[in-house]
Amino acid sequence: MNINILDTNQLALMDQLISDANTVLVVCHKSPDGDAIGSSLGWAEYMRLRGKDVTVIVPDQYPDFLMWLPNTDKIVRYDKHREKCDMLFKIADLVFCLDFNTPSRVDEMGQALVSSKAKKVLIDHHLNPDVPADLVVSQPEASSTCELVFRIVWQMGAFAQLDKAFAVPVYCGMMTDTGGFTFNSTRPEIFQIISELLTKRIDKDRIYRNVYHNYSEDRIRLMGYVMYEKLVYMPEYHAAYYSLTRDELKRFNYIKGDTEGLVNMPQQIKGLKLSISLREDTEKNIVWVSLRSVDDFPCNLMAEEFFNGGGHLNASGGKVEGTIDEAIEITKKAISAYENKLK
Ligand SMILES: [Mn+2]
């Protein structure tokens, strides 16, 4: 299987940077998702194999539905252990930045990251990488950072020596970043990679259940409420949106992660091209916006133009600094501005 992604120079530099380092950090973006956590844990396993003293640092809390992953107990949260993390950034020889393209994606940790004298390597699949690094592996066409982690490890000849503790998080991140292999996952290499991961005797069906069949009663009722009461369907535009206020979230005992993936549900309406979620922040006067599309509808452009955000072609995010009613008005404007591409 030829899934190599590093050119000869990159391969040599990667190996050199790793060989020269002793203390290694692996960091990912704030509000980490399955790909961020999965790629970090997988890469940390590779670093352990290389005999490194490795620590995974995340900016803040990661979702409950990822807690079962192996070695999550060793993850250090920057927001909870700032001093320890700042010290680690000072003494580290090498920092791997996974699944983000700019220091602003790591929140308060950005300062410690940028000022760290350690060598830095970026491994990411978002557009326009802008992290100062000694080696940048940026592949926006990749399904996930986990896919990149696999391909690098494979190319470096280390896969045979790794076990489940590598294969489980890597599979998990590939799965979550493709919605269970339902989007952005048509390239044959993806399934070649999966077939290799399965040789490590991972239980992919259980991984699926651990992630997707993990709802509280409150969450499943919130989903029902949103789809029944709150969804605004605009058939002439092949678009739908919904809004959730702070009070509504409270009614369903909202905890972080409860609305995760909800924006994908309206996509099941036949012919729908665009789905938008508007969620009021539980404290600040901000409305968080998520956009999902199919085919070539560019929700990243819509997110940039109307919602102070950006992202991937089919999955983007942003925010409105204002009330939920203002956010709804902007959403209506955005949909009609893109009428040509939607109708
Ligand atoms: Mn990702």
Side-chain angles (χ1 to χ4, degrees):
M1 150 164 91
N2 185 11
I3 57 158
N4 294 348
I5 51 167
L6 304 177
D7 64 33
T8 322
N9 291 335
Q10 288 178 317
L11 184 64
L13 180 56
M14 180 74 88
D15 195 52
Q16 190 63 51
L17 289 168
I18 296 169
S19 296
D20 290 347
N22 180 35
T23 304
V24 175
L25 302 183
V26 181
V27 303
C28 64
H29 59 76
K30 67 186 170 189
S31 302
D33 56 8
D35 189 32
I37 295 290
S39 58
S40 298
L41 292 172
W43 192 256
E45 275 304 293
Y46 175 49
M47 288 301 107
R48 267 178 218 116
L49 179 72
R50 295 282 300 249
K52 307 301 162 187
D53 180 2
V54 59
T55 309
V56 175
I57 300 181
V58 300
D60 56 1
Q61 196 186 351
Y62 57 89
D64 280 349
F65 64 79
L66 298 173
M67 296 272 183
W68 58 274
L69 282 165
N71 295 318
T72 51
D73 55 315
K74 298 191 191 105
I75 294 175
V76 183
R77 273 176 60 178
Y78 188 82
D79 61 339
K80 281 203 165 174
H81 304 280
R82 198 176 174 139
E83 270 177 37
K84 180 184 175 176
C85 293
D86 283 342
M87 190 271 292
L88 283 168
F89 274 106
K90 275 205 185 92
I91 64 161
D93 305 311
L94 182 56
V95 180
F96 287 96
C97 302
L98 267 51
D99 202 35
F100 64 94
N101 55 354
T102 154
S104 66
R105 291 284 290 130
V106 298
D107 232 1
E108 268 127 52
M109 200 168 83
Q111 185 55 38
L113 172 66
V114 172
S115 63
S116 170
K117 291 196 177 68
K119 300 272 184 191
K120 296 176 193 86
V121 176
L122 177 73
I123 304 174
D124 182 42
H125 69 131
H126 296 87
L127 291 166
N128 311 321
D130 186 26
V131 175
D134 300 274
L135 172 58
V136 172
V137 183
S138 169
Q139 297 258 324
E141 59 280 10
S143 66
S144 53
T145 300
C146 279
E147 178 190 334
L148 298 177
V149 161
F150 178 93
R151 292 169 79 143
I152 297 168
V153 163
W154 180 270
Q155 190 174 0
M156 300 194 72
F159 181 68
Q161 299 160 71
L162 289 160
D163 60 14
K164 261 187 181 176
F166 173 80
V168 167
V170 167
Y171 180 85
C172 181
M174 288 179 67
M175 181 188 78
T176 55
D177 252 27
T178 57
F181 305 102
T182 61
F183 53 82
N184 198 18
S185 50
T186 304
R187 283 174 302 106
E189 307 90 88
I190 291 175
F191 289 86
Q192 290 177 316
I193 292 169
I194 294 170
S195 76
E196 290 298 334
L197 292 171
L198 291 171
T199 65
K200 304 292 181 184
R201 308 184 80 88
I202 63 171
D203 185 342
K204 75 168 187 57
D205 303 343
R206 171 175 282 189
I207 293 172
Y208 185 93
R209 284 198 308 276
N210 283 349
V211 170
Y212 293 114
H213 296 186
N214 192 24
Y215 296 164
S216 63
E217 182 193 343
D218 280 321
R219 173 168 174 168
I220 206 115
R221 293 195 188 281
L222 173 67
M223 282 166 57
Y225 172 74
V226 169
M227 295 308 137
Y228 187 64
E229 298 269 354
K230 302 302 308 268
L231 189 71
V232 178
Y233 176 43
M234 305 167 83
E236 67 280 23
Y237 291 98
H238 307 108
Y241 70 87
Y242 61 82
S243 60
L244 275 169
T245 66
R246 191 173 295 150
D247 289 342
E248 287 169 322
L249 292 169
K250 214 171 162 191
R251 209 173 118 194
F252 291 92
N253 305 309
Y254 171 80
I255 54 164
K256 199 175 172 184
D258 273 355
T259 53
E260 192 83 38
L262 210 56
V263 65
N264 297 318
M265 288 193 79
Q267 300 272 57
Q268 294 176 29
I269 298 171
K270 190 175 181 179
L272 201 95
K273 288 185 186 163
L274 174 68
S275 169
I276 301 178
S277 156
L278 306 170
R279 174 174 59 83
E280 198 173 29
D281 191 89
T282 50
E283 279 140 39
K284 289 173 275 183
N285 210 11
I286 289 177
V287 177
W288 299 102
V289 184
S290 280
L291 304 96
R292 295 290 183 275
S293 67
V294 291
D295 296 334
D296 56 359
F297 185 87
C299 46
N300 50 349
L301 298 186
M302 182 182 264
E304 277 167 32
E305 202 177 327
F306 288 91
F307 299 111
N308 312 299
H312 303 285
L313 182 74
N314 294 138
S316 302
K319 63 182 178 183
V320 171
E321 305 212 9
T323 66
I324 197 92
D325 289 331
E326 284 162 350
I328 291 171
E329 283 316 305
I330 293 170
T331 300
K332 287 182 187 160
K333 262 187 212 141
I335 290 172
S336 67
Y338 278 77
E339 132 172 63
N340 286 342
K341 286 199 163 71
L342 287 168
K343 275 194 168 168

